[in-house]
């Protein structure tokens, strides 16, 4: 298969498996999505979805959030981990939204990246899922699969994002990044990986990856 045929095959399989794409983090608007994505760093979506209702019951907008202290926010979000840093980030970005943006989350990745605790991936998720602006946030699943499929070198997430944007049509980015995440979780995980269930890697996978898998199986 040519690279182009491999890309087409990948899109076809992902569309068949995920015609309707669930959004991993529960939210009701751009602000609650921003907070949920920030909380998800080095945590699981399941854990975040258990905690955000408790936080949003107290404050689901930046005006109410800054009425809470950093310590109060920290107490609520402790189970998701990294709570000292995340609570300061939540309070800080909420204050910035109120003081500089009339409480409205900006739709620009570059502006979002100026907020406390908001990196490129978080900003990309927000513009993509909240505003429908094409972006390709790269998480560990996407980084792993782009390497397994021979679409990127696996050097770093910046390179992976650049390769994904170059290979996949822009109008599909927002759907594809979510489809690849779900596929990575369900069919091509880092641990407990069964190649028989992983039709994409089995069909188009990087030769080195397939050889290493076969060697492990043979032991």
């Amino acid at each position: 298969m040519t690279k182009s045929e491999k890309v087409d095959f990948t899109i076809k399989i992902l569309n068949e498996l995920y015609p309707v794409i669930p959004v991993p983090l529960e939210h009701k608007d751009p602000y609650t999505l921003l907070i949920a994505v920030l909380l998800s760093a080095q945590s699981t979506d399941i854990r975040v979805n258990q905690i955000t209702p408790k936080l949003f019951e107290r404050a689901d907008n930046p005006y109410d959030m800054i009425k809470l202290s950093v310590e109060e926010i920290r107490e609520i979000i402790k189970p998701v981990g990294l709570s000292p840093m995340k609570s300061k980030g939540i309070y800080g970005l909420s204050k910035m939204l109120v003081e500089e943006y009339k409480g409205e989350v900006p739709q620009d990745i570059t502006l979002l990246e100026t907020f406390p605790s908001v990196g490129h991936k978080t900003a990309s998720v927000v513009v993509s899922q909240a505003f429908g602006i094409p972006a390709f946030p790269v998480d560990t699943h996407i980084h792993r699969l782009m390497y397994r499929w021979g679409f990127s070198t696996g050097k770093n997430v910046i390179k992976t994002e650049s390769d994904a944007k170059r290979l996949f049509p822009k109008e599909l980015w927002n759907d594809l990044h979510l489809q690849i995440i779900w596929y990575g979780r369900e069919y091509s995980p880092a641990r407990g990986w069964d190649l028989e269930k992983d039709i994409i890697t089995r069909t188009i996978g990087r030769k080195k990856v397939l050889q290493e898998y076969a060697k492990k199986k043979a032991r």
Side-chain angles (χ1 to χ4, degrees):
M1 273 196 219
T2 65
K3 182 70 72 75
S4 169
E5 286 169 338
K6 288 179 179 181
V7 167
D8 290 343
F9 174 78
T10 302
I11 293 168
K12 175 178 166 284
I13 296 297
L14 291 173
N15 282 335
E16 285 172 4
L17 289 171
Y18 307 104
V20 177
I21 309 161
V23 175
L25 292 167
E26 292 166 15
H27 64 282
K28 64 171 188 173
D29 56 23
Y31 177 73
T32 51
L33 176 63
L34 175 59
I35 300 303
V37 179
L38 187 156
L39 288 171
S40 71
Q42 293 182 43
S43 186
T44 65
D45 294 344
I46 292 169
R47 180 76 53 84
V48 173
N49 288 336
Q50 289 168 345
I51 295 304
T52 47
K54 297 170 187 172
L55 178 63
F56 296 150
E57 193 181 334
R58 296 284 305 277
D60 63 358
N61 63 79
Y63 293 94
D64 286 338
M65 194 65 78
I66 59 174
K67 289 176 186 171
L68 301 176
S69 67
V70 171
E71 196 50 50
E72 284 174 304
I73 296 169
R74 184 183 172 187
E75 275 304 308
I76 298 167
I77 68 168
K78 253 184 186 169
V80 301
L82 303 179
S83 59
M85 180 194 76
K86 289 177 181 178
S87 55
K88 285 177 189 168
I90 290 169
Y91 185 87
L93 73 82
S94 300
K95 192 164 184 285
M96 198 165 158
L97 282 171
V98 168
E99 292 177 353
E100 299 180 34
Y101 294 93
K102 298 179 181 173
E104 296 291 323
V105 175
Q107 299 186 25
D108 184 298
I109 285 181
T110 314
L111 286 178
L112 280 167
E113 288 175 355
T114 65
F115 284 74
S117 300
V118 177
H120 180 70
K121 183 195 148 202
T122 297
S124 297
V125 172
V126 172
V127 299
S128 164
Q129 294 177 18
F131 302 117
I133 296 165
F136 213 106
V138 172
D139 76 341
T140 54
H141 299 290
I142 293 173
H143 189 52
R144 179 177 68 254
L145 295 193
M146 286 286 289
Y147 177 76
R148 279 184 180 172
W149 296 342
F151 291 159
S152 192
T153 59
K155 191 178 172 187
N156 54 52
V157 293
I158 296 165
K159 178 81 168 79
T160 299
E161 181 182 338
S162 168
D163 290 335
K165 286 179 168 178
R166 179 173 50 79
L167 287 171
F168 295 117
K170 193 172 186 177
E171 65 273 14
L172 300 183
W173 291 355
N174 289 353
D175 284 349
L176 270 172
H177 91 264
L178 285 173
Q179 288 171 320
I180 295 172
I181 289 169
W182 286 113
Y183 186 89
R185 289 176 180 176
E186 296 180 351
Y187 299 98
S188 194
R191 284 176 285 188
W193 176 34
D194 181 355
L195 188 60
E196 284 306 305
K197 295 175 183 173
D198 182 354
I199 183 173
I200 298 178
T201 311
R202 204 171 71 233
T203 308
I204 65 152
R206 184 187 291 275
K207 194 179 286 185
K208 185 183 173 187
V209 168
L210 298 179
Q211 286 169 346
E212 284 174 358
Y213 183 90
K215 272 184 199 168
K216 278 183 188 173
K217 276 289 181 188
R219 280 176 199 160

